[in-house]
Every structure is written in structure tokens, then in C-alpha cells.
Amino acid sequence: MRNPLTREKKRKLRQKDKGIIDFVKMQKHFYPELIKEFGNVKDPRKESYTDYESEELLYPVILKNVSTIESMRQMTEWFNEENCVANLGKLMDRKVENIAHYDTINDFLEKLETKEIDRIRVKMIKRLLRSKTFNPARMSDKQWMVIVDGTGLYNFKEKHCDNCLVREITDKEGKKKKLYYHNVLEAKIVLADNIILSLGTEFIENESEDTPKQDCEINASKRLFKRIKKEFPRLKICILGDSLYAAGSIIEICNENGWNYLLSCKEGRQKTLIEDYKYVIDSGEFGEKKNLLGDEKGTAKYVNHVEDITGKEFTANIFEYEYKKINEKTKKITQGKFIWITDIELTNRNIEEMVICARKRWKIENEGFNTQKNILYKIEHLNSKNPNAMKNHYLLTQISDILMQLYLAGTKILKELKQSIKNTSSRLLETFRAIVSDEDVSYIKKYTTVHFIY
């Protein structure tokens, strides 16, 4: 049994935590050209009117995000110190006269095309995949798991822009009124149990206010899948999603792209398939494996090619998993029952892996949206009212999150400390506001090896 971490040991470990120095070291390890990439964006400003280079406007937003500074105004307040200005220059390997005011940054983000930020995110993901560091996270047939889901970003009582989605709600007094809002669709690639990174983003929005049919998650997913296929044409992918995606149109796109799918399945979405699956189960002609997933001792049942009975044109291999676990100390009972559809042939040899992979879908909600909304980046906070700047802020948050997840998962001292993400983020701000020495800069440039747990 491992010895618990005493307060004295924790204090000594914290003294070794270099905070922003370790963060930038991790950034340089995986993305040595990141600052240069920020500098290479297609600048929409007139050269004669610019006081700051584009990288001087974008990189502070990254530092703001990973330091859990909620608003752009707060960023300007926290970073408006001599130490911060000097440190930014050292971390960027250049002389910096000042850190731009948040209004200056937002003016730039209003004009900057979103594809410029997205291009950098794509390059970052491709670099990770080419490194082969994360290959152990792939499924047995070498597919990368890509989880797809949508979430809400901003709500407005009045119309915000022509691209707003709108729905009618009834208040407590029974009065009907319109609610305007913006949603986003994310595709996250699983690189490890604790590394779930943004592979692609599609904003769910109307083309105009008077559009006859509103944009929706399914339509957005079709646009997103098309772009992912274009950006990662040879990437082997298995799409994970909730029952919304267990639709013929989505499965057809997966087939056309040469992707596998592993989707939650409910009677409301694929009623006939579920009924025919249950019919086969009741007849006793099914595969079964018991005592899965350690203490859960769950049971999986599966039937291949249910589509042969139902008459569907796509492959429908269906499996379910049920478990009931009792905590010996608290006597608390945890239980669950789930059902999925896939095109991967199911056997007793791979059924446990399929259950494990299928359950990773919830990571986009837990480690993904929940962390970004409630713990680190506060993505529901409006950093700018301008629609284009709103999108750029969101995309910069996804880049920040890639760096932050690699830092959290790959920094040895953080694994030993086992402190909260919030405390780790606060430490980044604290150390950025302290003095970064020449010795720290030399440490950042030294080669390092990084080990991850899969």
C-alpha cells in the first residue's frame, strides 16, 4: 500500500513546482513553433496602424485561459505589471514593450478569420498523432476514438445577432417569450484516459434571422465530419456519440468516409432495431460474456447483423452491458444498463474492449464540457459581444486546453502532488506574475522526455 502524502511532503513538492515554467517547457516540447504559428496568421489589420504583432495579441489569451482568469478585463488587470511584461518576452523569446489591453485584443479577434486559429489547432493535433506517443490509446484495429457532442455556450434575452438560434419559452407567470442562444458542436479525440482533445469545432447557428428551418446538431455534424475528413483524410476513426447520432444519415457518412461507429442506441431513435435485437435475445441466439470490468463483474450480451432481420441498409451489430456493484463499506449500490450499435463485428474476444470504448463517450461531458464550463475556462462567459470574436475566443480556448491537458498529464511533479486542477491553474498565474529568471529560460530550452499513462 502506498504511503499517504503528508503535509510536509506536499510542501516540499510544491516548492519544486515551477508552474508557468513547466507549462511552457511542455509547450516547447510538443509545439516548438507555436509562437511562430501565431505570428503567421493572416493579419487583417493595416500595417501602419499596428502596435503589436499578432502573436503578442494571441498568446496572452492562452495564458489568460490556463490561469483561469474569467474575463478579458481581469486579464488586463492581472497582467498589467512589469514582471508580467518582462516574463511574456522571455517566454516568447522576444522583447515585449507591453501587454496589449483587452480592447486591442478583442478588436483584432473581431477581424481575424476563424480559419486562421482553426488551422493552428489542426497542425497541433497532427503533430501529436505523428509523434506516435499516443498510439496505445487506439482501439484494437488501430482506430482513434472520436467523441461527438454539442453543448450550449451563450444565452441572451434579446436578439444578439442574425446567427442566433431562438426558441420560445414560458416563464413562471405563464408569459411566452423568446430566448436567443448560441451552441457549438465538438469532436474530441481520445489520446489517453485523461487526454481528450478538440479535433474539430462546428458552430451551430442560423444563416439569417428569417431562415425557415433552424440549424441543428445533426446538420452541424454533417459539416464537421466533411471538414474532418478533408483535414485528416487517412486517419482511422471510430465515431462515438449519443443516440442522436444513431441515424441512417450519420451512419451513411461514416461508411462513405471509411470510419467505424459506436453509438448509444435507444428505442426512440432505432425502435425497430431494438425490438428485433430483443427478439433474438429472447430466442436465446446471442453471444454473452460475464464478469467484465473488474469489480463491476458486469455482463455483456451481443447480436451481430440485426439489420438482416430489420431490413436496414447499414450494419447493426448491437450489444448491451449491465452491472450492479455494491460498496462493501458504505453498502451503496451502483448499477447501470446500456445498449449500443456498431459496425464492428462483436466476439467474446473483443466485447470487453467494446464496452470500455463505448463508455468513453461520457468523457466529452465530464472531462470535456464540464471542465471547460465550470472549472477552468468558463467558456459560457462572454469575452466579446462580437460574433466573430466570440468564435475566436472559443477556438483559442480549445488550443489552451490542448496545452493544459498535456501539461497536467505529462508533468511528473503534478502527478505526485495530486492537487486540484483549480489549484494548479492558480499556480500558473502566481508564477507568471513572479520573476522568470535566465536560469528558468535555460531550463525551458533543455530537452525533456514525457511519459503518459494510458
Side-chain angles (χ1 to χ4, degrees):
M1 188 174 177
R2 300 177 69 178
N3 294 326
L5 194 62
T6 64
R7 285 183 294 176
E8 183 182 357
K9 287 180 180 177
K10 205 163 191 176
R11 282 197 303 271
K12 289 181 179 179
L13 282 173
R14 278 178 178 157
Q15 289 173 2
K16 297 178 182 178
D17 178 14
K18 295 179 179 290
I20 198 66
I21 307 303
D22 281 326
F23 175 84
V24 176
K25 187 176 181 68
M26 189 69 65
Q27 169 201 311
K28 297 266 188 183
H29 176 77
F30 285 103
Y31 307 111
E33 301 296 315
L34 181 62
I35 302 300
K36 185 178 178 181
E37 289 291 343
F38 282 145
N40 287 339
V41 298
K42 190 175 180 181
D43 198 329
R45 301 169 297 169
K46 291 184 179 179
E47 191 174 346
S48 57
Y49 295 159
T50 60
D51 293 324
Y52 299 93
E53 300 296 330
S54 56
E55 61 267 39
E56 295 177 62
L57 298 171
L58 296 174
Y59 194 57
V61 181
I62 301 296
L63 298 178
K64 162 203 170 286
N65 291 337
V66 300
S67 300
T68 320
I69 297 175
E70 186 169 335
S71 71
M72 291 293 286
R73 185 187 296 273
Q74 287 175 335
M75 180 201 75
T76 294
E77 291 172 357
W78 279 104
F79 289 177
N80 188 28
E81 290 190 353
E82 291 298 324
N83 278 355
C84 291
V85 175
N87 291 345
L88 181 65
K90 289 178 180 179
L91 299 179
M92 294 178 66
D93 289 327
R94 67 187 59 225
K95 187 176 180 181
V96 173
E97 298 291 343
N98 225 323
I99 296 180
H101 190 273
Y102 72 89
D103 279 337
T104 304
I105 296 174
N106 274 342
D107 286 344
F108 176 66
L109 293 179
E110 287 178 16
K111 301 178 182 71
L112 183 67
E113 291 188 42
T114 55
K115 67 180 181 182
E116 294 296 307
I117 303 295
D118 191 56
R119 175 181 56 80
I120 296 172
R121 189 250 311 267
V122 170
K123 280 190 174 183
M124 292 174 74
I125 295 296
K126 284 184 176 180
R127 184 177 175 88
L128 291 178
L129 296 177
R130 289 192 188 115
S131 73
K132 300 183 179 179
T133 303
F134 302 97
N135 280 1
R138 295 181 298 178
M139 298 173 71
S140 56
D141 286 334
K142 298 183 180 180
Q143 313 99 311
W144 293 96
M145 286 173 280
V146 174
I147 314 170
V148 185
D149 200 7
T151 192
L153 287 180
Y154 316 112
N155 293 299
F156 305 94
K157 292 180 180 178
E158 297 178 354
K159 177 187 170 183
H160 166 259
C161 64
D162 287 342
N163 303 121
C164 282
L165 301 173
V166 60
R167 69 172 179 266
E168 196 170 68
I169 61 172
T170 305
D171 61 20
K172 294 178 180 179
E173 298 175 355
K175 294 180 180 178
K176 290 185 177 181
K177 56 183 180 181
K178 289 183 177 180
L179 177 69
Y180 298 89
Y181 60 101
H182 285 252
N183 288 355
V184 68
L185 180 69
E186 269 293 321
K188 303 272 189 179
I189 187 167
V190 179
L191 298 188
D193 257 0
N194 55 346
I195 306 178
I196 318 293
L197 306 182
S198 175
L199 182 74
T201 298
E202 184 66 33
F203 295 98
I204 306 172
E205 57 185 9
N206 292 328
E207 291 184 3
S208 62
E209 184 185 11
D210 56 355
T211 183
K213 190 175 181 181
Q214 290 204 100
D215 197 13
C216 65
E217 195 170 322
I218 286 292
N219 287 338
S221 68
K222 293 174 182 177
R223 301 193 300 270
L224 179 57
F225 288 171
K226 183 178 180 180
R227 197 166 67 252
I228 289 174
K229 184 62 179 177
K230 183 179 179 181
E231 291 166 346
F232 302 90
R234 293 185 296 276
L235 193 66
K236 290 189 71 174
I237 286 176
C238 180
I239 295 291
L240 276 60
D242 60 27
S243 59
L244 178 69
Y245 294 91
S249 59
I250 298 298
I251 290 173
E252 184 180 351
I253 293 171
C254 289
N255 289 331
E256 289 172 355
N257 290 341
W259 299 344
N260 295 117
Y261 48 89
L262 178 48
L263 309 166
S264 295
C265 198
K266 292 182 179 178
E267 289 187 15
R269 195 63 175 169
Q270 290 290 354
K271 184 178 179 181
T272 311
L273 275 172
I274 296 296
E275 287 176 351
D276 289 341
Y277 165 76
K278 289 180 177 178
Y279 170 79
V280 177
I281 292 290
D282 290 340
S283 70
E285 297 179 6
F286 60 89
E288 184 177 31
K289 193 169 184 179
K290 297 182 178 181
N291 296 320
L292 302 183
L293 304 187
D295 292 342
E296 284 187 6
K297 294 182 179 179
T299 298
K301 297 177 182 178
Y302 60 91
V303 177
N304 286 312
H305 300 292
V306 180
E307 78 277 2
D308 290 342
I309 304 172
T310 309
K312 296 288 186 180
E313 294 183 358
F314 54 81
T315 303
N317 303 326
I318 299 179
F319 65 106
E320 63 180 286
Y321 175 71
E322 188 171 8
Y323 75 95
K324 185 176 183 180
K325 187 167 66 172
I326 302 174
N327 187 305
E328 295 299 330
K329 291 183 179 179
T330 63
K331 302 302 178 185
K332 184 179 178 181
I333 299 173
T334 341
Q335 57 187 342
K337 185 175 182 179
F338 317 98
I339 188 165
W340 298 278
I341 180 173
T342 182
D343 64 328
I344 298 171
E345 198 78 7
L346 302 168
T347 66
N348 268 26
R349 185 172 292 180
N350 73 357
I351 191 64
E352 186 165 18
E353 179 201 3
M354 295 299 293
V355 171
I356 292 169
C357 292
R359 291 175 74 178
K360 289 185 188 294
R361 185 192 70 78
W362 295 300
K363 286 187 172 293
I364 196 170
E365 296 173 2
N366 300 328
E367 284 87 344
F369 295 138
N370 181 52
T371 298
Q372 292 195 12
K373 285 184 176 183
N374 303 317
I375 302 175
L376 275 181
Y377 314 112
K378 309 294 183 183
I379 58 172
E380 292 174 304
H381 176 82
L382 199 62
N383 284 298
S384 171
K385 292 182 180 179
N386 177 272
N388 194 66
M390 285 163 50
K391 293 177 183 178
N392 278 323
H393 271 293
Y394 180 84
L395 294 173
L396 284 170
T397 300
Q398 302 316 307
I399 289 177
S400 305
D401 191 52
I402 291 171
L403 298 172
M404 191 64 172
Q405 286 194 51
L406 293 172
Y407 166 65
L408 291 170
T411 306
K412 185 179 178 182
I413 194 72
L414 297 181
K415 297 174 189 176
E416 296 175 9
L417 270 172
K418 296 180 180 178
Q419 63 187 2
S420 70
I421 299 176
K422 192 89 174 186
N423 286 341
T424 299
S425 185
S426 298
R427 176 65 175 161
L428 292 178
L429 178 59
E430 176 191 337
T431 49
F432 180 61
R433 284 161 56 85
I435 296 173
V436 174
S437 66
D438 292 338
E439 184 181 349
D440 291 328
V441 174
S442 298
Y443 169 79
I444 287 171
K445 294 179 179 179
K446 285 181 181 177
Y447 178 79
T448 187
T449 55
V450 182
H451 301 284
F452 296 99
I453 299 172
Y454 299 94

